[in-house]
């Protein structure tokens, strides 16, 4: 790798680099079925989804789920997601975008709320692990936000300045986490949120990851 220019991207995984919308919807509906809830469409999911995830269920149920309900839904979701993710692949153009950013001497990493023990081998399986200086997944309970994880992630990166860092993700929570850590953000419409939801975050919103990388280069200049 050539000398780094200082610009750094923190990539989200689910719904961003990893195009897993179908698996997420199918797993979500399996979790809903455990509680007798009607299935949800991708459009409705993207309009209502939020973090922390129990608040998403509150929007559907009209109340927060009980601890017992949340435990059932969370366990069921992850079990069904694991079964279905094998049919999913990287988003369009990801390998080329990662290679291009790296070949320009810039650094990049992954921070995901997907479990760390599942994330690392999955990234390795797609043959893209060498493009990243760090890959971090969730190590605590699921369902929470990314803000404090982002602070720890950036703090662990040698020579990376938050002010020259851009987070690319598919959720408002990615922008919230970036702001909390002193970084910038670009949000991508191909994942878990609708464009109208993403635009409420007050950061650039794009329809392709190629556009996201262009915006990241501009913001980190």
């Amino acid at each position: 790798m050539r000398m780094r220019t200082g610009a750094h991207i923190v990539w989200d995984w689910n719904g961003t680099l990893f195009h897993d919308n179908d698996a997420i919807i199918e797993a979500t509906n399996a979790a809903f079925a455990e509680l007798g809830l009607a299935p949800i469409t991708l459009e409705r999911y993207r309009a209502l989804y939020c973090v922390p995830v129990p608040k998403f269920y509150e929007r559907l149920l009209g109340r927060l789920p009980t601890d017992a309900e949340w435990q059932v839904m969370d366990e069921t979701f992850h079990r069904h997601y694991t079964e279905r993710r094998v049919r999913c692949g990287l988003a369009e153009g990801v390998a080329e975008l990662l290679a291009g950013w790296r070949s320009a001497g810039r650094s990049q990493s992954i921070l995901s709320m997907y479990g760390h023990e599942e994330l690392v081998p999955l990234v390795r399986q797609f043959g893209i692990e060498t493009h990243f200086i760090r890959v971090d997944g969730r190590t605590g309970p699921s369902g929470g936000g990314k803000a404090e994880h982002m602070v720890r992630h950036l703090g662990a990166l040698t020579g990376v300045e938050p002010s020259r860092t851009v987070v690319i993700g598919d959720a408002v929570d990615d922008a919230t986490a970036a702001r909390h850590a002193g970084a910038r953000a670009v949000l991508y419409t191909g994942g878990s949120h609708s464009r109208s939801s993403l635009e409420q975050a007050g950061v650039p919103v794009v329809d392709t990851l190629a556009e996201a990388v262009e915006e990241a280069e501009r913001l980190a200049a």
Side-chain angles (χ1 to χ4, degrees):
M1 183 185 294
R2 301 206 310 261
M3 184 69 68
R4 296 176 191 165
T5 64
H8 181 82
I9 290 176
V10 178
W11 292 95
D12 176 53
W13 179 249
N14 302 96
T16 305
L17 292 177
F18 190 47
H19 187 64
D20 58 351
N21 289 348
D22 289 344
I24 285 175
I25 293 300
E26 291 174 12
T28 297
N29 283 332
F32 285 179
E34 294 283 336
L35 294 178
L37 297 176
I40 190 172
T41 63
L42 175 60
E43 290 73 24
R44 182 163 170 77
Y45 178 95
R46 297 176 79 238
L48 297 178
Y49 182 75
C50 64
V51 174
V53 178
K55 293 290 291 182
F56 167 56
Y57 289 125
E58 181 182 25
R59 293 180 174 185
L60 296 165
L61 294 169
R63 60 174 176 80
L64 281 170
T66 66
D67 289 344
E69 288 172 334
W70 164 246
Q71 186 173 5
V72 168
M73 289 189 289
D74 189 49
E75 185 279 328
T76 305
F77 171 85
H78 284 96
R79 173 162 45 85
H80 284 273
Y81 176 81
T82 299
E83 294 171 359
R84 288 160 171 78
R85 78 177 190 197
V86 296
R87 303 197 302 266
C88 302
L90 297 175
E92 182 178 358
V94 160
E96 294 79 10
L97 290 170
L98 296 178
W101 186 264
R102 182 187 181 201
S103 67
R106 305 181 181 105
S107 60
Q108 54 199 327
S109 59
I110 293 176
L111 175 61
S112 172
M113 291 298 93
Y114 191 45
H116 185 77
E117 297 303 319
E118 293 80 23
L119 173 66
V120 171
L122 190 55
V123 173
R124 186 177 298 128
Q125 172 188 318
F126 284 109
I128 58 174
E129 182 183 25
T130 57
H131 292 308
F132 306 106
I133 62 174
R134 189 177 181 90
V135 175
D136 282 336
R138 173 183 49 78
T139 55
S142 63
K146 191 180 277 189
E148 295 303 326
H149 296 273
M150 185 66 70
V151 172
R152 289 194 294 272
H153 180 77
L154 292 182
L157 301 178
T158 302
V160 172
E161 301 176 16
S163 62
R164 299 290 308 282
T165 297
V166 179
V167 177
I168 297 178
D170 68 317
V172 172
D173 188 53
D174 291 301
T176 301
R179 189 175 300 115
H180 184 74
R184 313 290 287 276
V186 178
L187 299 181
Y188 163 61
T189 63
S192 62
H193 280 41
S194 66
R195 172 175 278 277
S196 60
S197 297
L198 295 178
E199 287 175 343
Q200 296 176 22
V203 302
V205 176
V206 299
D207 295 320
T208 69
L209 292 181
E211 292 175 281
V213 171
E214 290 175 4
E215 278 293 318
E217 187 169 8
R218 181 182 66 81
L219 291 172

